[in-house]
Amino acid sequence: MTHARRWWMGALVAVLLLLAGGAWYAWRLLPNDEALAADIGERFQKATGIELRVGEASWSLRPTPVVVLENLATEQDKPITVRRVVLRPRLDALWRRSIAIEAVEVEGVVLHWASVRAFRGRWQGGEVSGMLAGAWTTADIPVERVRLRDITWINRRELALAYDADVRFDAGWRPREAEAWRPGVSPEARLRLTREGEADRWDVQIAAGGGTWNGQAALETSDKGRMRLSAQLDPHNVDVGDLVRAFGRNQAVEGRIEGRTDVRSEGDNVGELIRHFNTRTRFTIRPATLKGFDLSKVVGAPGSAKGGQTALDELTGTLETQNTGDGIQLRYAGLQARSGVLSASGSATVLNRRLNGDVAIDLVDGVVGLPLKLAGTLDDPQVSLTGGALAGAAVGTAVLPGVGTAIGARVGQQVEKMFGSEEEKKKKQQQPAAPRKAPAAPLLP
């Protein structure tokens, strides 16, 4: 046997011994399938206080390291369920007892809002770290890529919507690239984020309603770790009806929107950023159609306007959205609508699709006015005169039939605002009187 051949044989034996030693070390390092499933469930409950059932768990080191979890479910009234999770850790990191996962693939998740809300305040950073076994540490980029498919969110109205997403991370959980979309929706509803170099700034591209909602986003982090998110987006040629239908809803306004959106949020973690998320959009829809009532009929008889629609030359205003404990609240302010000789102005609030607002309808560019109260829901809006406006309308009809009705109604509304409605007066009378303050003690010489 030549010297070179002996060298190759020795090298081969060394490699085989190394592989055998690595396999033995991995066998000692990783538990069997049953122990792995039980350990994951135990650590999850310890970190969150909520039990987790893991149907099946398996792992393998060849041809590449992989951990597969199947049929997961939380112990809740409406459990969070996951059909399959695949984790692909880096082998070199395993030898160093470090968490460095090349990819996480998640399929078939059902998230009910009440079940997700139950985790609020339970899962803190220290508890998450406690789920790591023994001397395990995390790499600078613990997870490099996440792939989400068939992720279903069920909201307060039991409306179920499916989403897909792909994210690639930099250090500090900063998304390098991210994409999320509603599968099977046309026109597409898709969000893309691309990081600008190493700065905490992202280019935002949103395709929605056959148009775009593009702009820039930035994240600021204080020395104490508090985060502030901001973004400026410009909606362009977005069909409002197609946009809301992409998320399983019907809209009271049809038309294409142009404008400017400002996004703001602050929090100590991602969960707080989501909960404190609010937007402000200054918009123009030209032309626009109001669904659910006919403004041209409401001038003569408010009740007859129900069930129709109103074609407008233009609708402008400001929409603010704010996350609340009861859902997302929408506040419309400075609304201005024009249609021929008819114009209207007002404001409104929408929460869980319930409508509350005030509208003033004018003829001949404000010469004649009629104040109205908005109520009901977005699917079934209700339009009526307020109590003070009704009283004023009756006086106006007696004094000047026809046009006097609308003038009297506007006067009645103004009087009601000055002195308050009967209901408001009763509330004030029922409120206990504020305690009188004791006279101040005289100053000592």
Side-chain angles (χ1 to χ4, degrees):
M1 181 179 293
T2 65
H3 177 74
R5 188 175 181 182
R6 286 196 301 270
W7 186 91
W8 279 109
M9 289 295 295
L12 179 60
V13 170
V15 169
L16 292 175
L17 289 174
L18 180 62
L19 290 176
W24 175 85
Y25 180 69
W27 178 79
R28 292 294 303 272
L29 194 66
L30 296 173
N32 59 39
D33 295 350
E34 293 77 11
L36 177 61
D39 188 56
I40 291 173
E42 179 181 344
R43 292 181 181 278
F44 185 91
Q45 182 176 6
K46 184 178 180 180
T48 66
I50 296 175
E51 293 185 37
L52 175 69
R53 298 193 313 273
V54 180
E56 299 178 41
S58 59
W59 62 271
S60 174
L61 292 177
R62 295 182 300 173
T64 57
V66 63
V67 178
V68 180
L69 310 176
E70 296 182 285
N71 302 322
L72 294 84
T74 59
E75 290 286 353
Q76 295 174 281
D77 293 338
K78 295 183 177 181
I80 297 171
T81 59
V82 183
R83 184 170 63 247
R84 180 180 172 88
V85 179
V86 178
L87 298 95
R88 303 186 184 280
R90 290 195 172 278
L91 184 60
D92 56 342
L94 287 177
W95 306 137
R96 300 192 304 271
R97 297 180 68 84
S98 175
I99 302 297
I101 300 176
E102 181 181 359
V104 176
E105 302 165 10
V106 184
E107 300 176 1
V109 180
V110 177
L111 301 164
H112 193 278
W113 73 272
S115 300
V116 173
R117 190 176 184 182
F119 283 89
R120 186 179 298 179
R122 290 175 177 263
W123 204 331
Q124 305 298 328
E127 293 172 333
V128 174
S129 300
M131 292 185 67
L132 303 177
W136 285 82
T137 59
T138 57
D140 291 338
I141 305 178
V143 179
E144 296 177 24
R145 297 195 307 275
V146 173
R147 178 180 179 272
L148 307 176
R149 294 294 182 269
D150 191 20
I151 311 300
T152 300
W153 171 261
I154 302 176
N155 66 11
R156 289 172 173 80
R157 297 172 54 232
E158 299 299 320
L159 177 65
L161 297 174
Y163 297 87
D164 291 347
D166 290 319
V167 184
R168 186 163 68 91
F169 289 101
D170 284 339
W173 295 102
R174 285 354 187 216
R176 166 57 56 185
E177 296 174 345
E179 189 171 10
W181 64 95
R182 286 270 294 118
V185 169
S186 181
E188 69 173 343
R190 185 179 297 266
L191 163 69
R192 294 185 180 92
L193 299 177
T194 305
R195 193 176 185 186
E196 299 179 357
E198 298 303 314
D200 281 348
R201 293 193 303 270
W202 289 264
D203 178 64
V204 182
Q205 295 186 350
I206 300 175
T212 60
W213 212 309
N214 300 337
Q216 303 288 322
L219 181 67
E220 299 176 14
T221 306
S222 69
D223 295 338
K224 296 182 179 180
R226 187 165 182 81
M227 296 180 289
R228 176 181 297 172
L229 174 67
S230 62
Q232 294 77 42
L233 310 172
D234 298 320
H236 174 64
N237 201 35
V238 176
D239 188 295
V240 178
D242 286 343
L243 171 63
V244 297
R245 280 189 288 272
F247 296 91
R249 293 170 173 83
N250 295 318
Q251 176 66 319
V253 179
E254 296 279 354
R256 291 189 175 273
I257 186 173
E258 304 279 344
R260 173 80 169 186
T261 298
D262 293 306
V263 180
R264 294 287 184 274
S265 185
E266 289 189 24
D268 293 327
N269 52 56
V270 175
E272 287 190 4
L273 282 180
I274 295 174
R275 290 195 294 274
H276 299 159
F277 196 83
N278 67 84
T279 69
R280 178 184 175 88
T281 301
R282 295 171 294 282
F283 65 86
T284 298
I285 304 176
R286 185 188 301 120
T289 302
L290 300 183
K291 299 287 188 177
F293 56 89
D294 187 342
L295 286 180
S296 64
K297 293 181 180 179
V298 85
V299 174
S304 66
K306 183 178 179 181
Q309 66 179 34
T310 303
L312 300 173
D313 298 327
E314 181 181 82
L315 176 64
T316 63
T318 300
L319 168 61
E320 295 186 13
T321 68
Q322 178 67 59
N323 274 348
T324 72
D326 296 321
I328 298 178
Q329 183 182 64
L330 290 78
R331 295 189 298 272
Y332 294 88
L335 294 174
Q336 299 286 336
R338 286 188 174 275
S339 179
V341 298
L342 179 72
S343 66
S345 60
S347 60
T349 300
V350 179
L351 181 60
N352 290 328
R353 299 190 67 78
R354 297 207 64 83
L355 180 62
N356 181 31
D358 296 286
V359 175
I361 300 178
D362 297 326
L363 297 176
V364 197
D365 199 19
V367 174
V368 178
L370 185 68
L372 300 168
K373 183 71 176 176
L374 297 179
T377 67
L378 292 179
D379 301 313
D380 184 22
Q382 307 293 323
V383 184
S384 62
L385 286 168
T386 63
L390 281 171
V395 173
T397 302
V399 175
L400 183 62
V403 139
T405 302
I407 296 176
R410 176 60 66 87
V411 173
Q413 182 199 38
Q414 297 304 320
V415 171
E416 184 179 33
K417 286 184 176 180
M418 289 173 62
F419 297 101
S421 64
E422 289 299 323
E423 183 178 348
E424 290 174 341
K425 290 178 182 178
K426 290 179 181 178
K427 287 182 179 179
K428 289 182 179 179
Q429 291 173 357
Q430 292 172 357
Q431 290 178 351
R436 296 181 62 184
K437 293 184 178 180
L443 295 176
L444 294 177

